[in-house]
């Protein structure tokens, strides 16, 4: 068991011990949720993992309606000319295990946030410690929204693009299972963590490492990077790039407002401290 120590007077080794137990508890939480997802693995694979390979997937139908409204071709899907195959002896069992672990991490994310907050809370002020529930709630919502954005937007656009792209009619697409699953996991987890940007900016602003002026100064470079990323992960049409770019741009703008609020509060606290002295 982790020994109880006065967190206000912890040595470096005590901090390492706390960090070790944070990792242990996080791993246990992930494994518990992964075990739970194992019992619904059929639903996860048939309805969720392989949902985007169905031309009737909800995203494709919505994109088709949008493209027809704007008079743009290329977003309506009738069929996907590819198959997903497994070429490794232990491929399917390995994929089952890692998929359950990934799902376990996603479901256990709020608990992991709670553990992280407990680890860093001794370094915070009392008024900041009171915001623990708000921090966990907002961070969890942002992560889950990012996961859903990756699954319902990034993944279908990627599947549509790579399934229909061809350099010759001679070549037939037969995607490897690990390649397809890697694309799913990367898209979902990357966007989930990307949507945590406002929280990251908040803490960086609290530490004085980032300011709203810095973010505004480099906004144009951020926009270029966002557009490039959107161009890479989407089919080569303007509508798809806009669909992906807008939420990420909004997150960046929200981060600027968060950094500005942190700077204002720090200046306000500094003025109050000067008056008291």
């Amino acid at each position: 068991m982790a020994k109880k120590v006065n967190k206000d007077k912890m040595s470096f080794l005590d901090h390492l011990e706390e960090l070790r137990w944070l990792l242990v508890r996080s791993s246990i939480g992930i494994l518990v949720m992964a075990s739970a997802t194992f019992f619904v693995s059929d639903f996860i694979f048939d309805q969720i993992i392989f949902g985007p390979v169905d031309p009737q997937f909800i995203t494709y139908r919505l994109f088709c309606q949008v493209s027809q409204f704007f008079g743009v071709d290329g977003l309506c899907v009738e069929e996907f000319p590819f198959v997903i195959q497994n070429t490794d002896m232990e491929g399917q069992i390995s994929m089952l295990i890692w998929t359950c672990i990934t799902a376990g991490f996603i479901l256990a994310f709020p608990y992991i946030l709670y553990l992280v907050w407990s680890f860093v809370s001794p370094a915070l002020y009392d008024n900041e410690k009171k915001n623990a529930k708000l921090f966990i709630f907002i961070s969890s919502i942002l992560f889950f929204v990012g996961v859903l954005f990756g699954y319902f937007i990034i993944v279908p656009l990627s599947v549509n693009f790579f399934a229909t792209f061809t350099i010759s009619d001679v070549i037939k697409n037969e995607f490897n299972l690990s390649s397809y699953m890697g694309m799913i996991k990367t898209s979902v987890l990357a966007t989930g963590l990307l949507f945590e940007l406002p929280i990251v900016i908040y803490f960086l602003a609290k530490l004085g490492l980032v300011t709203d002026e810095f973010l505004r100064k480099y906004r144009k470079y951020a926009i270029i990077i966002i557009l490039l990323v959107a161009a890479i992960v989407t089919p080569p049409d303007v509508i798809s790039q806009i669909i992906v770019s807008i939420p990420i741009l909004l997150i960046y703008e929200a981060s600027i407002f968060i950094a500005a609020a942190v700077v204002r509060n720090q200046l306000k606290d500094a003025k109050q401290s000067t008056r008291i002295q």
Side-chain angles (χ1 to χ4, degrees), residues 37-205:
T37 60
F38 174 80
F39 295 100
V40 291
S41 59
D42 290 342
F43 174 82
I44 291 176
F45 278 97
D46 295 337
Q47 303 299 323
I48 299 179
I49 299 297
F50 296 117
V53 305
D54 183 359
Q56 296 302 313
F57 189 62
I58 183 172
T59 304
Y60 301 128
R61 290 188 275 115
L62 291 176
F63 282 177
C64 183
Q65 294 175 2
V66 171
S67 65
Q68 290 175 347
F69 177 80
F70 287 101
V72 178
D73 296 328
L75 290 182
C76 291
V77 178
E78 296 182 358
E79 64 175 343
F80 287 127
F82 73 90
V83 296
I84 299 176
Q85 60 179 348
N86 173 52
T87 58
D88 297 325
M89 181 71 72
E90 73 284 0
Q92 294 199 45
I93 184 64
S94 176
M95 199 56 60
L96 171 63
I97 294 172
W98 282 108
T99 299
C100 290
I101 291 175
T102 302
F105 171 79
I106 293 173
L107 295 176
F109 192 76
Y111 175 66
I112 296 173
L113 286 176
Y114 167 75
L115 295 176
V116 172
W117 182 270
S118 300
F119 179 73
V120 302
S121 60
L124 303 176
Y125 295 108
D126 291 337
N127 61 331
E128 294 173 331
K129 294 179 182 179
K130 297 178 182 178
N131 297 325
K133 293 182 180 179
L134 182 62
F135 163 78
I136 295 172
F137 176 76
I138 294 178
S139 299
S140 299
I141 292 297
L142 288 174
F143 178 76
F144 290 134
V145 170
V147 167
L148 293 175
F149 179 77
Y151 176 72
F152 284 104
I153 303 297
I154 303 296
V155 170
L157 289 174
S158 299
V159 170
N160 185 23
F161 174 68
F162 292 116
T164 56
F165 179 83
T166 179
I167 58 176
S168 173
D169 293 336
V170 176
I171 302 174
K172 304 299 180 182
N173 285 328
E174 296 181 355
F175 300 136
N176 188 276
L177 175 63
S178 61
S179 176
Y180 175 80
M181 293 297 297
M183 183 269 295
I184 295 280
K185 288 188 289 185
T186 300
S187 300
V188 168
L189 293 179
T191 50
L193 296 176
L194 176 63
F195 273 54
E196 293 293 308
L197 180 62
I199 303 299
V200 174
I201 292 297
Y202 172 80
F203 283 104
L204 292 178

